[in-house]
Amino acid sequence: MPSSSAVAAFSVRERWIMLVASAWLVTGLQLDAYAHATTPELETFWTPWHAVLYSGIAASGLTLVWLLRPRLPRIPTYETVLALPNALRVPILGMAFLLVGGGIDTLWHNVFGIEQGLEIFVSPSHEFIILGMVLVAAGPALMTTAPRLSIADGTLVTISALLTVLPLHIYSLHANVLGTIYFGDGENPVRIYSEDAQIFHGYVFTTALLLVPIILIGRRWPLPPGVPTVLVAVPALAMHLMFLTDEPWWMSVTIAASAAGAELVIRVVAPLVPAPSSMAWLLLGLIAPPLVWGTLFVVADVEVGVGWNVHVVSGLLTYVALTGAATVLVARNVRPPAVSPDASSSASPASPSASSNSGITAS
């Protein structure tokens, strides 16, 4: 059996091939989501976008087999599979979910019909497929072990993070404000279970979902300039392209621009404020969400009008600030179990050196 160091090492070629396979897989999901959103009469499983999706599953599975061959003995055992690094175990688990979900998806459609609306997001076969995609797409980032991100590594990790989180944005469409244009009707009081209240909580959910990949990358490496902006802007633009093609682009463009502005402000101000890493990240969580959403509300009020009054808007901005801070506290401090001294000699997400840098201002 290969040595532990050989098992943990991944070449540039291996990481990029895994990234291409993951992109193929997630692209199939986006095409399928777009088809469901724009073709209500869709009644067949045999579609071109399903062909992209399921060929992406096959490509990802074959890539994992290719990566596993030199890292496992000729006859693998339960122990040898457990000894694999998380960079392989996580995608393997994801492939298992993909195979289960894909295996029952055709049967599910034939028995119960094609899902529409909210049904798409709660169908059991679709739940397995989405979870599998998230775990497979995380593989390329987990395979990157350099103590600092070069331009190439930063590009790979950022794309891997986007491919990991984009299926979650799509799957959570009904609790996600990136694919929804709605700012309150202002005609009725905000009630529990009202449409206003659902969208209000959508901002909270979306705030956490946008921050998590930024925080997790920042736990491991100093964040290269532009990465936080990309991780917010791309999902916003992609969600618009898939679900809001008949609407103007001002909402997604505003989110992208305000994310860039928030990152610029934080990178300029952070070096001027003497604060430890933990405090710097906490301030990021407190400041960035209200900056982004507050800018969106200002533009929305000009473009279409915002029906929510000062109580709702100010409360929402306070709520997303607290959500951002709470997300930072959880994502920055939840750690894996301690590793042995031999394994901890190399850089790891849980190592003190990785957690001590602020990751916000460093390039």
Side-chain angles (χ1 to χ4, degrees):
M1 179 179 175
S3 66
S4 59
S5 60
V7 168
F10 296 95
S11 68
V12 173
R13 178 174 171 236
E14 287 175 326
R15 290 185 287 126
W16 280 97
I17 289 176
M18 187 65 200
L19 186 72
V20 170
S22 302
W24 187 344
L25 177 64
V26 176
T27 298
L29 171 68
Q30 295 184 72
L31 291 174
D32 191 43
Y34 179 79
H36 280 284
T38 57
T39 313
E41 65 276 9
L42 189 64
E43 294 181 355
T44 178
F45 174 85
W46 306 104
T47 62
W49 29 93
H50 270 185
V52 177
L53 172 60
Y54 285 94
S55 61
I57 294 176
S60 298
L62 291 173
T63 301
L64 275 173
V65 171
W66 172 65
L67 291 171
L68 287 169
R69 282 191 63 189
R71 295 174 169 86
L72 286 175
R74 186 177 297 275
I75 302 177
T77 64
Y78 179 72
E79 289 76 15
T80 58
V81 172
L82 284 183
L84 291 170
N86 283 335
L88 288 176
R89 286 191 298 176
V90 169
I92 288 172
L93 181 60
M95 185 53 57
F97 281 113
L98 282 170
L99 292 176
V100 171
I104 66 175
D105 199 34
T106 306
L107 178 63
W108 190 272
H109 290 168
N110 288 335
V111 174
F112 300 108
I114 303 296
E115 302 93 329
Q116 301 291 339
L118 182 62
E119 301 163 359
I120 298 170
F121 303 91
V122 296
S123 167
S125 60
H126 288 184
E127 290 181 19
F128 281 111
I129 290 173
I130 294 295
L131 178 57
M133 282 186 184
V134 170
L135 298 178
V136 169
L142 295 175
M143 293 175 186
T144 306
T145 58
R148 292 182 68 89
L149 290 174
S150 63
I151 293 177
D153 284 344
T155 301
L156 182 142
V157 169
T158 302
I159 295 174
S160 179
L162 285 170
L163 294 176
T164 301
V165 77
L166 190 56
L168 295 175
H169 282 290
I170 296 171
Y171 197 74
S172 61
L173 177 64
H174 291 271
N176 193 308
V177 296
L178 295 184
T180 306
I181 292 183
Y182 190 81
F183 296 97
D185 56 24
E187 297 177 359
N188 300 301
V190 176
R191 302 180 305 277
I192 296 175
Y193 304 122
S194 70
E195 210 166 25
D196 300 75
Q198 292 177 36
I199 297 297
F200 184 100
H201 289 93
Y203 280 96
V204 173
F205 176 86
T206 307
T207 295
L209 188 52
L210 287 171
L211 276 174
V212 163
I214 297 172
I215 298 166
L216 293 182
I217 292 176
R219 267 179 52 164
R220 178 65 181 83
W221 300 281
L223 278 169
V227 168
T229 297
V230 169
L231 290 172
V232 173
V234 171
L237 296 170
M239 293 284 278
H240 186 108
L241 187 62
M242 284 185 284
F243 301 112
L244 295 170
T245 50
D246 294 333
E247 301 287 346
W249 281 83
W250 61 264
M251 178 177 172
S252 54
V253 171
T254 299
I255 293 172
S258 59
E263 180 180 355
L264 180 62
V265 168
I266 290 169
R267 287 191 183 274
V268 169
V269 172
L272 306 177
V273 180
S277 170
S278 58
M279 181 58 66
W281 277 98
L282 187 62
L283 291 175
L284 168 72
L286 279 170
I287 295 170
L291 275 178
V292 172
W293 299 130
T295 303
L296 176 62
F297 290 154
V298 171
V299 175
D301 199 38
V302 173
E303 292 289 336
V304 297
V306 175
W308 291 327
N309 59 28
V310 63
H311 306 291
V312 178
V313 172
S314 61
L316 176 53
L317 294 180
T318 303
Y319 212 166
V320 296
L322 296 175
T323 299
T327 303
V328 167
L329 289 173
V330 173
R332 289 281 295 177
N333 291 290
V334 172
R335 302 284 176 182
V339 296
S340 64
D342 291 339
S344 62
S345 60
S346 60
S348 67
S351 66
S353 60
S355 61
S356 61
N357 66 73
S358 70
I360 300 174
T361 59
S363 59

